[in-house]
Amino acid sequence: EDRFVFSSEVLFSVGSANLGSRGKTEISKVADIINQIADEIPTGIDWILRVDGHTDRIPFSGIGKDYKDNWELSQARALSVLRFLRDEVDIPANRLAAAGFGQYQPIDKRDTPEAYKTNRRIELKFTEK
């Protein structure tokens, strides 16, 4: 489709926004694709790669105690991935944006563990500025 989607469990520990080694490996796997796509975008299109953080709707438990709520955690996770893309994958900072959506953009609205897992994610999406 039009985005890369990563499960939060693959990228982060519970309640953390520190991108783990497995997460870095997974993000790095798509880095070549991201750079290839970026190289093929016509020069007249002013694009960005938006990093969107999403959580489930289970109230934030305070694990890690660095974030007030799911919204803050989702933003911190998006920013962590953005910084990795900038610092390790060399995507220019002016081509990156981070957004945190908390639990407010669910893919699956059911109240099940599977739905919660689906909703905890990071999405990378090319878009115009």
Side-chain angles (χ1 to χ4, degrees):
E1 295 191 18
D2 65 346
R3 67 195 74 204
F4 299 94
V5 180
F6 298 90
S7 169
S8 289
E9 286 82 1
V10 171
L11 304 179
F12 306 100
S13 298
V14 174
S16 172
N18 294 324
L19 189 59
S21 59
R22 183 174 172 208
K24 290 177 182 179
T25 299
E26 294 302 312
I27 296 289
S28 293
K29 285 180 183 178
V30 299
D32 288 339
I33 297 168
I34 290 168
N35 282 320
Q36 182 180 3
I37 292 169
D39 288 343
E40 295 174 7
I41 297 173
T43 55
I45 297 176
D46 197 11
W47 62 271
I48 59 170
L49 180 65
R50 196 174 78 195
V51 182
D52 294 341
H54 300 269
T55 65
D56 58 34
R57 65 184 195 179
I58 298 171
F60 189 71
S61 66
I63 294 173
K65 301 188 190 288
D66 293 328
Y67 311 102
K68 180 179 176 182
D69 54 26
N70 281 330
W71 214 341
E72 231 177 75
L73 176 62
S74 68
Q75 178 63 42
R77 286 179 168 181
L79 191 56
S80 180
V81 171
L82 177 145
R83 287 184 173 138
F84 179 78
L85 291 168
R86 180 195 64 195
D87 298 341
E88 303 296 325
V89 183
D90 297 324
I91 295 178
N94 68 318
R95 295 291 187 190
L96 294 168
F101 292 92
Q103 67 268 27
Y104 301 108
Q105 300 290 325
I107 293 173
D108 189 334
K109 295 182 182 183
R110 296 177 300 148
D111 285 320
T112 65
E114 296 82 17
Y116 297 150
K117 185 176 181 178
T118 299
N119 292 329
R120 294 187 300 264
R121 67 198 188 280
I122 291 287
E123 296 182 358
L124 305 178
K125 181 179 181 179
F126 280 97
T127 187
E128 284 191 68
K129 287 185 184 177

